[in-house]
Amino acid sequence: MQKDCPSFSDTPITPDIDPGERTVPAGAGIELFHSIPDPVLVVTPQGAIVEVNLALLRAVGRTRDEVVGRGVCEIIHGGRWPHIKCPLEEFLLTREARVEDTRLPGLGGEYSLTIVPVREKDLETRHMLLIARKLTRDEVRKVDTIRTAQLAAIGELAAGVAHEVNNPINGIINYAQLLIDETEDNTLQSKLLHRIVQEGERIATIIYSLLSFAREDGNELTWVDLNEVVRASLSLVQHQMKNEGIIIETDYHEPSSLIRGNFLQMQQVVLNLLSNSRYALNERYREPSPYKRIRISCRPVELEGQAFIRLSVQDWGTGIPQGILEKLFEPFFTSKPAGQGSGLGLSISYGIIKNHHGRLRVDSMLNKFTEMIIEIPAADV
């Protein structure tokens, strides 16, 4: 009976091909490179772009001459600040392979970025291959879930540390206060004890902030109209904004944008976002400008079949480099110069929104815009 397939030979067959020789026709390689539907970059370990394919040019909306020779962070991240290192550029120097899901503002979305070292004949790595595949909606949701879980873990750690430090620091403050009561005024000992109390109270404030990030205060939630939260917040800062030439635009959903929440906590979040936008606008525009404005929108949306209220605070200030976007909500992380930010504002805001069963996320591009987006379940009335 005839067999469908011939039997395998016992003798292995070795292809008569020199690994160092070309195995495809001349010119076919570049055609294959440009036919890849995902954005691809060839860069040096120092981050300089050597070559890109057509998909990359379409994604960034630039010509080849505008891309080749530039830094990879400038093109796919939209740039960075001089005082903050780009994690991607730092990793390229290791000349190692890596796959990560990340936001690439320069390409306009969330991508799975594959980094592959290109070995030369002498086994040296002089170039790195970067392939960016756009994530599907389900993959983006999965990435958001992982990031939320990571921040939740940081919150639990922060709460644990805060609880452990809280009792000893209160003891230090109380004992120092007892010694002050038994010490004569205006002596060196009295001054030192007052300094101990002052520094102890500063630590206690930080501990309270960490507990706020973890939302351990248990405040009750009531009916809250986010329209009124925004109006009340603006009434506190509008005069200062006007003096600095900042234009405020609002878009409210009428008659109301009801959620279950805590009015004062939500006002704290909105005030923090307005403060950050104000700082970014004043940093970018020293003189009056039509772009020196903040737009606040409060509208109902449907997410995965559930009704939410989306509160957006957008400015056209300095923007935020992609390299620090994922660290933005971590306690004590700040992009501001030393002495101008505690790094607790956004982490506390994140904790408050989480306590409201919502989420706080950011969309930003360096020197273009920043949009902080709050999504909280709408009240069932």
Side-chain angles (χ1 to χ4, degrees), residues 343-357:
L344 288 170
L346 282 177
S347 63
I348 292 173
S349 297
Y350 176 87
I352 290 173
I353 299 305
K354 181 186 173 187
N355 191 51
H356 284 69
H357 308 291

PDB file of all heavy atoms in Angstrom, residues 343-357:
ATOM      1  N   GLY A 343       4.381  65.344  46.834  1.00  0.00           N
ATOM      2  CA  GLY A 343       4.178  64.051  46.205  1.00  0.00           C
ATOM      3  C   GLY A 343       3.034  63.266  46.806  1.00  0.00           C
ATOM      4  O   GLY A 343       2.928  62.052  46.590  1.00  0.00           O
ATOM      5  N   LEU A 344       2.160  63.946  47.576  1.00  0.00           N
ATOM      6  CA  LEU A 344       1.042  63.256  48.220  1.00  0.00           C
ATOM      7  C   LEU A 344      -0.316  63.647  47.643  1.00  0.00           C
ATOM      8  O   LEU A 344      -1.298  62.944  47.852  1.00  0.00           O
ATOM      9  CB  LEU A 344       1.047  63.528  49.729  1.00  0.00           C
ATOM     10  CG  LEU A 344       2.158  62.826  50.513  1.00  0.00           C
ATOM     11  CD1 LEU A 344       2.218  63.351  51.937  1.00  0.00           C
ATOM     12  CD2 LEU A 344       1.956  61.326  50.513  1.00  0.00           C
ATOM     13  N   GLY A 345      -0.376  64.767  46.919  1.00  0.00           N
ATOM     14  CA  GLY A 345      -1.659  65.266  46.429  1.00  0.00           C
ATOM     15  C   GLY A 345      -2.401  64.273  45.553  1.00  0.00           C
ATOM     16  O   GLY A 345      -3.559  63.945  45.796  1.00  0.00           O
ATOM     17  N   LEU A 346      -1.730  63.761  44.515  1.00  0.00           N
ATOM     18  CA  LEU A 346      -2.390  62.841  43.590  1.00  0.00           C
ATOM     19  C   LEU A 346      -2.591  61.465  44.215  1.00  0.00           C
ATOM     20  O   LEU A 346      -3.574  60.780  43.901  1.00  0.00           O
ATOM     21  CB  LEU A 346      -1.596  62.714  42.295  1.00  0.00           C
ATOM     22  CG  LEU A 346      -1.763  63.874  41.306  1.00  0.00           C
ATOM     23  CD1 LEU A 346      -0.881  63.674  40.085  1.00  0.00           C
ATOM     24  CD2 LEU A 346      -3.223  64.017  40.872  1.00  0.00           C
ATOM     25  N   SER A 347      -1.687  61.036  45.083  1.00  0.00           N
ATOM     26  CA  SER A 347      -1.872  59.731  45.716  1.00  0.00           C
ATOM     27  C   SER A 347      -3.084  59.758  46.645  1.00  0.00           C
ATOM     28  O   SER A 347      -3.870  58.799  46.688  1.00  0.00           O
ATOM     29  CB  SER A 347      -0.612  59.323  46.496  1.00  0.00           C
ATOM     30  OG  SER A 347      -0.349  60.218  47.552  1.00  0.00           O
ATOM     31  N   ILE A 348      -3.267  60.859  47.372  1.00  0.00           N
ATOM     32  CA  ILE A 348      -4.446  60.999  48.229  1.00  0.00           C
ATOM     33  C   ILE A 348      -5.707  61.065  47.375  1.00  0.00           C
ATOM     34  O   ILE A 348      -6.732  60.438  47.686  1.00  0.00           O
ATOM     35  CB  ILE A 348      -4.325  62.246  49.127  1.00  0.00           C
ATOM     36  CG1 ILE A 348      -3.197  62.047  50.149  1.00  0.00           C
ATOM     37  CG2 ILE A 348      -5.641  62.536  49.837  1.00  0.00           C
ATOM     38  CD1 ILE A 348      -2.891  63.270  50.972  1.00  0.00           C
ATOM     39  N   SER A 349      -5.646  61.820  46.286  1.00  0.00           N
ATOM     40  CA  SER A 349      -6.793  61.912  45.380  1.00  0.00           C
ATOM     41  C   SER A 349      -7.148  60.543  44.827  1.00  0.00           C
ATOM     42  O   SER A 349      -8.330  60.185  44.727  1.00  0.00           O
ATOM     43  CB  SER A 349      -6.481  62.882  44.232  1.00  0.00           C
ATOM     44  OG  SER A 349      -6.270  64.192  44.714  1.00  0.00           O
ATOM     45  N   TYR A 350      -6.127  59.763  44.472  1.00  0.00           N
ATOM     46  CA  TYR A 350      -6.371  58.413  43.972  1.00  0.00           C
ATOM     47  C   TYR A 350      -7.098  57.572  45.021  1.00  0.00           C
ATOM     48  O   TYR A 350      -8.048  56.847  44.714  1.00  0.00           O
ATOM     49  CB  TYR A 350      -5.050  57.757  43.583  1.00  0.00           C
ATOM     50  CG  TYR A 350      -5.199  56.317  43.148  1.00  0.00           C
ATOM     51  CD1 TYR A 350      -5.484  55.994  41.830  1.00  0.00           C
ATOM     52  CD2 TYR A 350      -5.078  55.284  44.071  1.00  0.00           C
ATOM     53  CE1 TYR A 350      -5.639  54.674  41.433  1.00  0.00           C
ATOM     54  CE2 TYR A 350      -5.236  53.958  43.689  1.00  0.00           C
ATOM     55  CZ  TYR A 350      -5.512  53.664  42.368  1.00  0.00           C
ATOM     56  OH  TYR A 350      -5.673  52.360  41.994  1.00  0.00           O
ATOM     57  N   GLY A 351      -6.639  57.671  46.273  1.00  0.00           N
ATOM     58  CA  GLY A 351      -7.274  56.914  47.353  1.00  0.00           C
ATOM     59  C   GLY A 351      -8.720  57.318  47.570  1.00  0.00           C
ATOM     60  O   GLY A 351      -9.587  56.477  47.815  1.00  0.00           O
ATOM     61  N   ILE A 352      -9.000  58.615  47.480  1.00  0.00           N
ATOM     62  CA  ILE A 352     -10.373  59.104  47.650  1.00  0.00           C
ATOM     63  C   ILE A 352     -11.276  58.545  46.556  1.00  0.00           C
ATOM     64  O   ILE A 352     -12.386  58.066  46.826  1.00  0.00           O
ATOM     65  CB  ILE A 352     -10.395  60.646  47.645  1.00  0.00           C
ATOM     66  CG1 ILE A 352      -9.737  61.186  48.928  1.00  0.00           C
ATOM     67  CG2 ILE A 352     -11.825  61.166  47.522  1.00  0.00           C
ATOM     68  CD1 ILE A 352      -9.572  62.695  48.937  1.00  0.00           C
ATOM     69  N   ILE A 353     -10.823  58.620  45.308  1.00  0.00           N
ATOM     70  CA  ILE A 353     -11.640  58.126  44.194  1.00  0.00           C
ATOM     71  C   ILE A 353     -11.842  56.618  44.314  1.00  0.00           C
ATOM     72  O   ILE A 353     -12.932  56.099  44.037  1.00  0.00           O
ATOM     73  CB  ILE A 353     -10.993  58.489  42.842  1.00  0.00           C
ATOM     74  CG1 ILE A 353     -10.872  60.016  42.705  1.00  0.00           C
ATOM     75  CG2 ILE A 353     -11.817  57.927  41.689  1.00  0.00           C
ATOM     76  CD1 ILE A 353     -12.171  60.762  42.875  1.00  0.00           C
ATOM     77  N   LYS A 354     -10.817  55.906  44.716  1.00  0.00           N
ATOM     78  CA  LYS A 354     -10.957  54.464  44.914  1.00  0.00           C
ATOM     79  C   LYS A 354     -12.005  54.175  45.976  1.00  0.00           C
ATOM     80  O   LYS A 354     -12.800  53.236  45.857  1.00  0.00           O
ATOM     81  CB  LYS A 354      -9.609  53.868  45.311  1.00  0.00           C
ATOM     82  CG  LYS A 354      -9.653  52.359  45.526  1.00  0.00           C
ATOM     83  CD  LYS A 354      -8.329  51.860  46.063  1.00  0.00           C
ATOM     84  CE  LYS A 354      -8.435  50.382  46.448  1.00  0.00           C
ATOM     85  NZ  LYS A 354      -7.207  49.910  47.138  1.00  0.00           N
ATOM     86  N   ASN A 355     -12.033  54.975  47.045  1.00  0.00           N
ATOM     87  CA  ASN A 355     -13.014  54.806  48.108  1.00  0.00           C
ATOM     88  C   ASN A 355     -14.433  55.072  47.605  1.00  0.00           C
ATOM     89  O   ASN A 355     -15.405  54.585  48.189  1.00  0.00           O
ATOM     90  CB  ASN A 355     -12.687  55.753  49.267  1.00  0.00           C
ATOM     91  CG  ASN A 355     -13.500  55.451  50.512  1.00  0.00           C
ATOM     92  OD1 ASN A 355     -13.548  54.298  50.953  1.00  0.00           O
ATOM     93  ND2 ASN A 355     -14.140  56.456  51.072  1.00  0.00           N
ATOM     94  N   HIS A 356     -14.542  55.829  46.521  1.00  0.00           N
ATOM     95  CA  HIS A 356     -15.843  56.111  45.899  1.00  0.00           C
ATOM     96  C   HIS A 356     -16.165  55.073  44.811  1.00  0.00           C
ATOM     97  O   HIS A 356     -17.054  55.294  43.991  1.00  0.00           O
ATOM     98  CB  HIS A 356     -15.844  57.513  45.286  1.00  0.00           C
ATOM     99  CG  HIS A 356     -15.975  58.614  46.300  1.00  0.00           C
ATOM    100  ND1 HIS A 356     -14.993  58.915  47.203  1.00  0.00           N
ATOM    101  CD2 HIS A 356     -16.993  59.483  46.552  1.00  0.00           C
ATOM    102  CE1 HIS A 356     -15.374  59.931  47.956  1.00  0.00           C
ATOM    103  NE2 HIS A 356     -16.591  60.285  47.598  1.00  0.00           N
ATOM    104  N   HIS A 357     -15.403  53.980  44.782  1.00  0.00           N
ATOM    105  CA  HIS A 357     -15.597  52.887  43.811  1.00  0.00           C
ATOM    106  C   HIS A 357     -15.397  53.368  42.373  1.00  0.00           C
ATOM    107  O   HIS A 357     -16.001  52.832  41.437  1.00  0.00           O
ATOM    108  CB  HIS A 357     -16.989  52.266  43.969  1.00  0.00           C
ATOM    109  CG  HIS A 357     -17.309  51.853  45.374  1.00  0.00           C
ATOM    110  ND1 HIS A 357     -16.681  50.795  46.004  1.00  0.00           N
ATOM    111  CD2 HIS A 357     -18.159  52.396  46.286  1.00  0.00           C
ATOM    112  CE1 HIS A 357     -17.146  50.684  47.239  1.00  0.00           C
ATOM    113  NE2 HIS A 357     -18.033  51.637  47.436  1.00  0.00           N
TER     114      HIS A 357
END
